[in-house]
Amino acid sequence: MALTLALAAIGLLHFVWAFSPWPMKDAATFSRTIGGVDDDRMPPVVSTLAVGLALFGGAVLTLMVNESVPAVGPDWLRLVGMYGLTVVLLARGLGGYVINRRAPVEFQRLNTVLYSPLCVALGTLSAIVAVAATRR
């Protein structure tokens, strides 16, 4: 459930960010702190919504794999999706430290203490769910 709630919450944040720089005061601060670029524009709406939708999809997939909600599609496809989610989250978490090299200082700080560790933790939870589902 922790994985599902975290993915859904982060997905919701991305939906908010598609239209607002909240909790930052403006687009420039948002881009430097959350986006990791020294720019005065918000990320494109379509890509931000796509990330939010993917995160919500990961949350729903987790519920389906845990048999908390009715499953859609074949078991093997849900498992592939769960392992894919694991790879993406771990890649973002571990690769996030490489991103720091070219990012603004504001992003580097949050990425080092929050974004990357959170992605590694969520990737680890996703791996646990995927392995447990594989063993059933």
Side-chain angles (χ1 to χ4, degrees):
M1 284 312 281
L3 177 62
T4 298
L5 292 173
L7 291 174
I10 298 166
L12 179 61
L13 273 175
H14 280 77
F15 287 133
V16 170
W17 292 338
F19 305 103
S20 165
W22 181 87
M24 303 302 160
K25 63 182 177 177
D26 56 32
T29 305
F30 179 92
S31 293
R32 282 192 313 275
T33 307
I34 295 174
V37 294
D38 200 5
D39 196 347
D40 61 351
R41 294 175 298 170
M42 293 293 290
V45 171
V46 173
S47 59
T48 305
L49 290 174
V51 171
L53 188 59
L55 289 162
F56 266 108
V60 171
L61 176 64
T62 302
L63 290 174
M64 283 192 283
V65 168
N66 280 330
E67 300 173 352
S68 299
V69 298
V72 176
D75 290 342
W76 69 267
L77 186 57
R78 287 190 303 279
L79 284 175
V80 167
M82 205 67 221
Y83 281 106
L85 178 63
T86 299
V87 168
V88 168
L89 289 169
L90 289 175
R92 168 54 185 94
L94 298 173
Y97 297 105
V98 175
I99 295 170
N100 275 348
R101 288 188 294 164
R102 292 188 225 144
V105 173
E106 299 91 341
F107 177 84
Q108 289 178 16
R109 257 183 268 139
L110 278 176
N111 187 51
T112 300
V113 299
L114 178 61
Y115 307 149
S116 287
L118 179 61
C119 287
V120 169
L122 294 176
T124 302
L125 287 174
S126 180
I128 291 168
V129 170
V131 170
T134 301
R135 292 182 177 172
R136 278 192 227 142

